[in-house]
Amino acid sequence: MSDRLAVLAQHLLPKRVLTALAGSAASAYGGSLTTATIRWFVRHYGVDMSEAANPDLASYPTFNEFFTRALRDGVRPLVAADLICPVDGAISQFGALDRNRVLQAKGHHYLTTALVGGDEALATQFDHGSFATLYLAPKDYHRIHMPCDGRLTRMLHVPGDLFSVNPPTARGIPGLFARNERVVCVFETARGPFVLVLVGATIVGSVATVWHGVVTPPRMKQVREWHYEQDLVRLKQGEEMGRFQLGSTVVMLFPPGPLHFNASWLPEKPVRLGEAMAAYD
């Protein structure tokens, strides 16, 4: 790809075209065009590359490798807490479940059964429990980490739509997080089960986990499910468990019990990986 074309891409193409390019050709080796796209993306979204393990934009051969970049050691220390925040992002909603109803936005709820792909036996384990929904903007670090120690028992890939998951869309589309494509990860912990759901979104190139690799694509019409033997996948608090290509959302479900969220948490507040999310009595 010529330098002239890279300059044209950087300065003349409409922003929505570059955003589409980042999604549809995110894994392509585009040379100077890839670098131009990355530079535009960093400027437009205000990405802080000083926190990246590799801050050299020209060294990323694909957009995906830039987008799933690692952080420098030490920039996200883990506090001592029962549950830590698993991502960089912003709080969408959190709190107590209304039996099996999850608050999406003011005036909008959806059912835990729908979120986990129709598995009522799984969903009922969280009746009257707690939830937290965290939104990852394009500028954010896009690896997801464990909020606590856990042993993986199941994973489900639930097909669905790919609506945007930004706050205005969450306020406008009923049942958004239970309608979009998602990967449901079920863990067993010292406090019982918890579910961590990776929700896809517009132009999300893929969702991957550290134990499986890329889960989606392919995009299927039926729910796919994997079961994991005892001790096959154990992850410690703070360890990476998965990653997104482009912005999306994490939804967590916790069983009923004496769980209290961080008193400083509020909807739309920015949060960072490793800060205190919640504690048990």
Side-chain angles (χ1 to χ4, degrees):
M1 187 65 62
S2 71
D3 289 342
R4 183 180 179 188
L5 182 54
V7 170
L8 287 173
Q10 187 171 2
H11 294 289
L12 299 181
L13 285 180
K15 292 178 181 179
R16 66 177 60 188
V17 173
L18 283 177
T19 304
L21 171 64
S24 62
S27 58
Y29 291 82
S32 55
L33 179 58
T34 292
T35 301
T37 302
I38 292 171
R39 291 188 189 282
W40 173 86
F41 192 93
V42 168
R43 285 197 311 272
H44 180 66
Y45 289 107
V47 179
D48 184 1
M49 291 302 294
S50 70
E51 296 184 331
N54 176 13
D56 180 6
L57 300 183
S59 69
Y60 291 98
T62 69
F63 187 87
N64 275 355
E65 291 185 49
F66 152 73
F67 198 79
T68 58
R69 63 196 175 276
L71 293 175
R72 286 192 294 108
D73 290 343
V75 298
R76 294 292 184 276
L78 308 182
V79 303
D82 292 328
L83 295 172
I84 61 170
C85 182
V87 295
D88 282 7
I91 300 166
S92 178
Q93 298 289 339
F94 68 99
L97 293 168
D98 179 9
R99 186 177 167 237
N100 62 347
R101 298 203 312 157
V102 187
L103 177 63
Q104 175 177 301
K106 186 176 181 180
H108 292 301
H109 291 79
Y110 60 92
L111 300 182
T112 54
T113 304
L115 178 68
V116 300
D119 189 328
E120 188 171 354
L122 172 60
T124 55
Q125 297 179 66
F126 303 97
D127 282 1
H128 304 291
S130 303
F131 79 98
T133 304
L134 306 176
Y135 167 66
L136 286 72
K139 68 178 179 62
D140 290 322
Y141 169 66
H142 272 74
R143 298 188 186 192
I144 303 100
H145 295 249
M146 290 292 289
C148 60
D149 295 356
R151 175 176 61 85
L152 181 71
T153 60
R154 297 170 65 193
M155 180 174 73
L156 300 93
H157 170 227
V158 184
D161 297 311
L162 287 174
F163 293 113
S164 170
V165 292
N166 62 27
T169 309
R171 291 190 291 268
I173 296 182
L176 173 64
F177 303 129
R179 292 171 62 179
N180 268 15
E181 181 178 36
R182 54 207 178 275
V183 175
V184 180
C185 304
V186 185
F187 293 92
E188 190 63 37
T189 78
R191 295 280 186 165
F194 94 90
V195 163
L196 198 160
V197 183
L198 311 181
V199 183
T202 306
I203 66 173
V204 170
S206 71
V207 175
T209 65
V210 296
W211 58 85
H212 183 94
V214 174
V215 182
T216 172
R219 293 190 162 86
M220 314 296 285
K221 293 184 178 180
Q222 296 82 29
V223 173
R224 294 183 293 158
E225 183 173 359
W226 297 262
H227 291 262
Y228 297 89
E229 299 296 330
Q230 184 89 11
D231 294 329
L232 180 63
V233 181
R234 279 189 178 270
L235 296 171
K236 303 293 287 184
Q237 184 181 61
E239 281 192 80
E240 181 186 346
M241 59 76 60
R243 58 185 66 177
F244 286 121
Q245 311 290 352
L246 297 178
S248 199
T249 293
V250 168
V251 183
M252 290 167 282
L253 300 178
F254 301 98
L259 182 66
H260 301 283
F261 284 96
N262 187 329
S264 70
W265 273 33
L266 295 168
E268 301 186 6
K269 179 182 177 181
V271 289
R272 283 193 163 194
L273 165 66
E275 71 176 56
M277 179 170 69
Y280 294 99
D281 285 346

